[in-house]
């Protein structure tokens, strides 16, 4: 079974379309959207509609903090994030809002758990950036494979009983192993706002038969999206971030 994981789309139409084409070419058995469909970017309605189409086709979709903030103020957000969410609310129809409001915080599928942020208290939106945070996720669930987003930086963590997790930075477009004797946590990077120094969109391709994860990078016209961010009156820093990948 092969699973494509799209996290942190953030209303970036150009990145999403590029990733959709790459995913279609891969023809995975399942698709997961790991939260933050909206926020930051200039095309929230389009992003929600694409996510809803995927969901109608059987994709698993979980709630992200920016998705939740459409209906419930998040006081932990940065000023730029809050400004973008206030703008986003005016771009969404009742149908768009209802779709986001109906998303679950987590989805369990066999021995896998899909969640936007950390598996421990997922609605508090903790980041999984290091081994200590990964350990809290592992302790919160018996799932053998945890898949999340939220940090915008691709990462993996390996764990075995009685030992702390080990962090691993997967190389772009290179398979990283899923070891039979370990549990794993995969942070899928970001489709719409990468922050690892590479502006190309990122999605994770998980192959359960070959036991590997590949962080697929997909170039797109980030400068076009940046111009749309500025034209919408969104914070300029959000445009800069797209081009720099940070």
């Amino acid at each position: 079974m092969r699973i494509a994981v799209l996290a942190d789309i953030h209303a970036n139409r150009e990145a999403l379309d590029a990733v959709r084409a790459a995913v279609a070419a891969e023809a995975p058995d399942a698709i997961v959207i790991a939260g933050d469909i909206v926020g930051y970017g200039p095309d929230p309605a389009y992003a929600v509609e694409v996510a809803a189409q995927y969901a109608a086709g059987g994709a698993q979709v979980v709630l992200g903090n920016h998705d939740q903030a459409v209906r419930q103020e998040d006081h932990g957000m940065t000023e730029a994030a809050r400004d973008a969410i206030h703008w986003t609310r005016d771009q969404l129809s009742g149908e768009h809002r209802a779709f986001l409001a109906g998303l679950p915080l987590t989805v369990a599928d066999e021995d896998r758990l899909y969640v936007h942020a950390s598996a421990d208290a997922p609605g508090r939106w903790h980041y999984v950036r290091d081994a200590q945070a990964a350990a809290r996720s592992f302790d919160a669930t018996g799932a053998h494979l945890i898949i999340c987003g939220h940090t915008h930086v691709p990462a993996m963590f390996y764990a075995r009983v009685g030992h702390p997790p080990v962090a691993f930075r997967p190389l772009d477009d290179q398979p990283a192993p899923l070891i039979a004797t370990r549990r794993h946590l995969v942070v899928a990077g970001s489709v719409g706002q990468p922050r690892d120094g590479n502006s190309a969109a990122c999605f994770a391709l998980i192959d359960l038969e070959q036991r590997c994860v590949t962080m697929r990078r997909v170039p797109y016209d980030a400068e076009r999206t940046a111009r749309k961010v500025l034209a919408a009156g969104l914070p300029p820093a959000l445009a800069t971030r797209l081009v720099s990948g940070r």
Side-chain angles (χ1 to χ4, degrees):
M1 183 177 185
R2 297 165 72 245
I3 306 166
V5 183
L6 285 62
D8 296 283
I9 295 166
H10 282 300
N12 185 334
R13 180 172 187 154
E14 288 72 30
L16 178 55
D17 283 348
V19 165
R20 289 173 72 193
V23 169
E26 292 286 354
D29 302 291
I31 293 173
V32 173
I33 298 178
D36 276 3
I37 299 163
V38 301
Y40 296 137
D43 287 294
Y46 180 79
V48 173
E49 289 162 9
V50 170
Q53 290 169 10
Y54 273 133
Q60 304 280 17
V61 185
V62 297
L63 183 74
N65 56 307
H66 288 253
D67 306 324
Q68 183 187 65
V70 167
R71 61 184 171 88
Q72 181 180 339
E73 189 76 20
D74 185 341
H75 297 288
M77 284 182 161
T78 65
E79 183 178 356
R82 288 196 304 272
D83 288 348
I85 282 296
H86 294 160
W87 178 88
T88 294
R89 289 171 182 161
D90 292 335
Q91 314 305 312
L92 299 178
S93 68
E95 187 175 358
H96 297 139
R97 290 167 178 259
F99 175 78
L100 295 176
L103 296 177
L105 281 169
T106 64
V107 171
D109 187 359
E110 298 183 359
D111 64 347
R112 301 179 296 278
L113 181 74
Y114 305 122
V115 59
H116 178 62
S118 176
D120 71 302
R124 296 186 66 182
W125 314 116
H126 298 239
Y127 291 93
V128 182
R129 288 176 168 148
D130 54 34
Q132 290 77 21
R136 291 190 288 271
S137 271
F138 285 122
D139 289 345
T141 176
H144 195 74
L145 177 60
I146 304 167
I147 299 154
C148 67
H150 198 37
T151 69
H152 299 216
V153 177
M156 293 177 66
F157 297 88
Y158 297 83
R160 61 190 176 108
V161 176
H163 297 268
V166 175
F168 176 75
R169 178 68 180 272
L171 298 176
D172 294 341
D173 299 305
Q174 298 295 320
L178 293 172
I179 302 168
T181 57
R182 304 286 191 270
R183 296 173 71 198
H184 304 84
L185 187 153
V186 175
V187 185
S190 174
V191 171
Q193 198 198 74
R195 297 181 186 171
D196 61 339
N198 183 347
S199 63
C202 181
F203 73 96
L205 186 64
I206 300 171
D207 192 324
L208 298 179
E209 292 184 5
Q210 297 298 318
R211 301 199 61 83
C212 64
V213 179
T214 304
M215 299 296 178
R216 284 288 317 279
R217 302 310 289 244
V218 185
Y220 77 98
D221 192 347
E223 292 188 357
R224 179 181 180 187
T225 309
R227 290 193 297 270
K228 291 167 69 174
V229 167
L230 297 175
L234 292 165
L238 300 179
T240 302
R241 174 162 257 175
L242 294 176
V243 177
S244 68
R246 295 194 180 278

